[in-house]
Amino acid sequence: MEPTIDPAVIAAAREKLMKKGPAAQLGGAGTARRKQKKVHKPVSVDDKKLMAALKKIGCNPIPGIEEVNMFKTDGKVIHFSNPKVQAAIGANTYAVSGNGEEKQLQELLPGIINQMGMDNLAGLKKLAEQMAAQEGKADDDVPKWLR
């Protein structure tokens, strides 16, 4: 026959064990091994491969460029402030890297006119005509004596 243990003794033992909680065993034999937390460095593998390819074709950095603007056919401009520009003139290759923002042509307007080509000037004329048409509509709302 098995000896019976009083349920009150079992409850007291369990309560005593629960008071110790998870801090009962922090280390030593029988505990799970804590894995080391690995800190991943931001490795830019693609950038390294790109730089190696540019170096192969002979790209050299061009210092002193403050901004780069690329004009799109829909009238928007990709604008780079303080970009890193590299060029291989023999291979007709130019690389522009940095944070590019897509902006409307109107946002960059007085300072960008000298960078525009003939095809972009036609777009600028269209823009000016649209703005003049909008102003003409706005003038209709203003009484003649106020003009």
Side-chain angles (χ1 to χ4, degrees), residues 86-138:
Q86 294 178 321
I89 297 172
N92 196 22
T93 304
Y94 300 90
V96 179
S97 57
N99 292 333
E101 300 173 352
E102 190 170 302
K103 295 185 176 183
Q104 293 291 332
L105 185 60
Q106 297 91 335
E107 294 178 35
L108 301 170
L109 258 179
I112 202 171
I113 292 176
N114 61 351
Q115 300 174 9
M116 299 176 80
M118 294 305 288
D119 54 340
N120 290 327
L121 287 176
L124 186 60
K125 285 181 184 177
K126 280 186 193 176
L127 180 66
E129 290 171 1
Q130 289 175 355
M131 291 178 77
Q134 288 177 356
E135 287 178 9
K137 290 177 184 175

Side-chain angles (χ1 to χ4, degrees), residues 20-37:
K20 289 184 179 181
Q25 188 174 7
L26 288 176
T31 60
R33 178 176 219 152
R34 180 178 174 161
K35 294 181 181 175
Q36 231 178 359
K37 184 178 178 184

Side-chain angles (χ1 to χ4, degrees), residues 5-55:
I5 301 174
D6 186 24
V9 173
I10 293 175
R14 283 187 180 163
E15 188 176 318
K16 185 178 175 183
L17 185 62
M18 292 302 284
K19 283 183 182 176
K20 289 184 179 181
Q25 188 174 7
L26 288 176
T31 60
R33 178 176 219 152
R34 180 178 174 161
K35 294 181 181 175
Q36 231 178 359
K37 184 178 178 184
K38 293 188 179 183
V39 178
H40 294 286
K41 295 179 184 175
V43 178
S44 54
V45 176
D46 293 336
D47 287 345
K48 288 181 181 179
K49 286 183 181 179
L50 177 65
M51 293 303 166
L54 289 173
K55 196 170 187 178

